[in-house]
Amino acid sequence: MKRAAGVLLHITSLPGGFGIGGFGDEAKRFIDRLADAGFTFWQVLPFSQPDDFFSPYKSYSAFAGNYYLVDLRPLADAGLLTKGELDAARQKTPYSCEFRRLEAERLDLLFRAAGRVTARGAVTEFLRTHPEIEAYCRYMTLRQQNGNAAWCDWQDLTPDPETLFAWGFIQYEFFRQWAEIRAYAHKRGVKIIGDVPMYVSYDSADVFAHPHLFDLDAKGHPKHVAGVPPDYFAKDGQLWGNPLYRWDEMAKDGYAWWRARIAALFDWFDGVRIDHFRALESYWEVPADAKTAREGKWKKGPGKPFIRALREAAGDRLLIAEDLGDVTDDVRDLIRYSGFPGMGVLQFAFFGDPKSPHLPYNYPENLVAYTGTHDNNTLLGYIWEQDEATRRRILAYCNYTGEKWDACYDHVLKTMLASHAGLVIFPLQDLLHYGSDCRMNTPGRAEGNWAWRTTEEQLAGIDWRRWHEWLELYGRI
């Protein structure tokens, strides 16, 4: 892996005028800043439509895109939205995603735009050549027609053609706009790393279309669901609730559904992080009626045969193994077998183990190193919350000897850049020196996540020229 650096920022956190970051010119300006500073990678979170708590890790489809990200301005330019409709959609605040407002208004607005489309051939062809997207559009149409009930309770199974077209148009526009952003990134020498959630939602086109691939009972209800055991983040573990895969069934056709999923992701991204990689060795199986994840147990995952299928689907493109959590020797062996770079996270480094894989002096070249991920505190918030002894150890490790600990930032960031890790990625909050009130997600907490956004003024306040000097100094340009 060539030495490089990148920034972690989800699309939703970008500036923008319509309640959420999206595929507008603001994304291109962010790419310009990255490129001018010498950053090679931009990492994002899953592009899928979020769940009721706005998490992008639980969605209606593993293949479809989040329609909140569609930029409204090109639709207005094409005469599909009026000036009044566009003005009514303008945001009330630039500092957080207006999820509740988007939930109430955005889909209706996009449906109105779809209803004004006269030339429909491009959308029809798009759906013909993207069968999993067509399946999602059909699913969402039937879901609406059945009062948003669970698919196992549907009575009406004949989709309305106009509603189906509207869903198709929205996905067509999503893919068209993102292709333009990605092409611009490539022109500026920036590659995009996406994220693939390990599991899908029960309320999804994937489970509806392929029920035999999931651990369901005769009535179509989950028998067991996904989660993780008690850990650093949550004393009762995390009960995610996603249906589990039937890996034995998936193996029969060579993991065709997963191969198609990976291929689709590489139509979007230049690299993909596999979330919760350790589940491929062993996963936490929780009874569907359990109250907490404590009631679960470990079950063997698909292992090496599945890894071979992933490698074949990805070719020579970048796959990153999110090897965090309860990592055993068997998990480490599977990562070595895969050849995928794992992850090192500075915030997990100072628990007293000098052999910790998260300490920068232990980073191998085939690693992606982070100050923190979307599930962590910001760097400033993390250091602030440490006890005095741990804070002194962190600062000493990073060769900071000043009296005011909150001036240690440069030393910590350069410690990461100086490491052997092939790729170092910083959450944008750490470039901004922001505290815990700006973190993206707190695992185990249902409310108050995923909404943080930055502004053009905040981005302009980053010393991008200094970052260019650092990246050049540490051989990451």
Side-chain angles (χ1 to χ4, degrees):
M1 187 184 295
K2 180 181 179 295
R3 284 178 69 82
V7 172
L8 169 61
L9 181 75
H10 193 32
I11 295 284
T12 60
S13 296
L14 283 169
F18 298 93
I20 194 170
F23 295 157
D25 289 341
E26 296 86 358
K28 294 180 180 179
R29 287 197 291 271
F30 181 66
I31 289 167
D32 286 336
R33 287 188 164 104
L34 295 180
D36 291 345
F39 286 105
T40 314
F41 288 92
W42 175 14
Q43 183 170 338
V44 297
L45 302 185
F47 273 11
S48 47
Q49 186 69 25
D51 67 5
D52 292 340
F53 298 102
F54 312 112
S55 168
Y57 288 88
K58 200 173 181 182
S59 182
Y60 297 120
S61 171
F63 294 84
N66 179 359
Y67 55 79
Y68 294 158
L69 304 182
V70 172
D71 186 21
L72 300 178
R73 288 162 291 193
L75 302 183
D77 292 341
L80 301 178
L81 292 176
T82 68
K83 181 180 183 301
E85 288 169 334
L86 193 66
D87 289 342
R90 295 191 186 278
Q91 66 194 22
K92 309 297 183 183
T93 174
Y95 300 111
S96 63
C97 297
E98 298 175 329
F99 283 131
R100 291 302 175 194
R101 184 173 170 221
L102 291 166
E103 189 177 43
E105 300 175 4
R106 187 55 51 89
L107 186 60
D108 177 65
L109 185 61
L110 293 172
F111 262 58
R112 271 182 271 164
R116 294 162 182 160
V117 175
T118 55
R120 298 190 167 191
V123 175
T124 302
E125 178 63 13
F126 170 77
L127 293 178
R128 187 188 69 79
T129 55
H130 293 79
E132 294 287 356
I133 301 298
E134 194 277 340
Y136 159 79
C137 296
R138 185 176 296 271
Y139 180 84
M140 296 305 287
T141 299
L142 292 174
R143 189 174 184 274
Q144 283 182 302
Q145 292 175 202
N146 287 275
N148 296 327
W151 56 263
C152 56
D153 297 325
W154 288 355
Q155 299 298 316
D156 183 356
L157 297 178
T158 304
D160 171 68
E162 287 302 307
T163 305
L164 181 61
F165 173 81
W167 282 106
F169 168 76
I170 293 167
Q171 287 300 303
Y172 168 81
E173 193 64 20
F174 174 97
F175 279 83
R176 186 195 67 76
Q177 291 186 12
W178 174 244
E180 183 178 317
I181 298 296
R182 187 183 178 198
Y184 186 82
H186 288 175
K187 182 179 177 181
R188 293 303 321 269
V190 174
K191 298 177 182 178
I192 314 291
I193 297 175
D195 198 315
V196 53
M198 177 55 60
Y199 298 113
V200 300
S201 174
Y202 174 72
D203 186 4
S204 70
D206 309 294
V207 180
F208 176 65
H210 311 284
H212 66 292
L213 300 180
F214 297 88
D215 186 17
L216 310 177
D217 64 21
K219 294 183 178 180
H221 302 129
K223 292 192 289 186
H224 301 91
V225 295
V228 290
D231 61 9
Y232 170 80
F233 287 119
K235 61 182 178 63
D236 288 325
Q238 297 176 48
L239 185 58
W240 297 335
N242 310 73
L244 294 170
Y245 298 115
R246 286 199 58 190
W247 290 112
D248 56 338
E249 285 294 324
M250 287 189 157
K252 290 178 180 179
D253 62 5
Y255 307 99
W257 181 85
W258 267 96
R259 287 175 183 268
R261 188 181 186 188
I262 294 298
L265 285 167
F266 279 113
D267 283 341
W268 294 4
F269 307 118
D270 306 293
V272 174
R273 188 193 81 130
I274 305 171
D275 186 57
H276 197 48
F277 182 91
R278 73 99 55 238
L280 301 181
E281 190 283 319
S282 294
Y283 57 92
W284 193 246
E285 179 189 84
V286 186
D289 60 355
K291 300 299 183 185
T292 76
R294 282 185 176 274
E295 300 174 49
K297 62 182 179 181
W298 289 111
K299 298 281 287 187
K300 292 299 292 183
K304 292 180 179 179
F306 181 69
I307 294 297
R308 290 195 291 271
L310 285 181
R311 286 195 304 213
E312 290 169 5
D316 60 356
R317 294 168 293 193
L318 176 65
L319 286 175
I320 301 169
E322 189 267 291
D323 53 345
L324 307 177
D326 186 4
V327 178
T328 64
D329 287 341
D330 288 339
V331 176
R332 296 185 188 97
D333 287 343
L334 190 63
I335 293 169
R336 281 192 289 269
Y337 174 80
S338 74
F340 306 154
M343 291 174 54
V345 180
L346 185 70
Q347 293 189 31
F348 298 148
F350 296 98
F351 294 133
D353 180 8
K355 296 182 180 179
S356 168
H358 300 288
L359 278 166
Y361 64 58
N362 287 324
Y363 291 166
E365 184 178 4
N366 190 36
L367 184 93
V368 183
Y370 299 78
T371 45
T373 74
H374 65 274
D375 283 332
N376 290 110
N377 205 339
T378 66
L379 180 59
L380 178 62
Y382 162 74
I383 298 175
W384 171 268
E385 293 178 3
Q386 299 308 303
D387 60 78
E388 185 61 30
T390 303
R391 187 183 299 127
R392 283 199 302 268
R393 188 160 64 250
I394 296 169
L395 302 187
Y397 184 94
C398 298
N399 196 31
Y400 178 73
T401 57
E403 294 182 3
K404 295 183 178 181
W405 71 263
D406 54 352
C408 70
Y409 240 78
D410 288 2
H411 288 73
V412 179
L413 299 173
K414 288 193 287 187
T415 295
M416 297 292 286
L417 290 171
S419 73
H420 285 295
L423 177 56
V424 177
I425 292 181
F426 302 97
L428 182 74
Q429 292 93 321
D430 293 351
L431 273 66
L432 289 164
H433 299 190
Y434 281 177
S436 58
D437 57 325
C438 295
R439 68 182 294 170
M440 190 65 167
N441 180 49
T442 301
R445 187 183 74 183
E447 302 286 349
N449 293 318
W450 313 109
W452 180 79
R453 292 176 69 194
T454 187
T455 67
E456 291 288 356
E457 293 77 14
Q458 291 166 347
L459 290 173
I462 296 172
D463 191 342
W464 297 100
R465 185 171 299 178
R466 183 186 63 169
W467 275 98
H468 189 279
E469 293 171 356
W470 286 358
L471 297 180
E472 190 170 46
L473 176 65
Y474 293 105
R476 296 191 179 275
I477 292 182

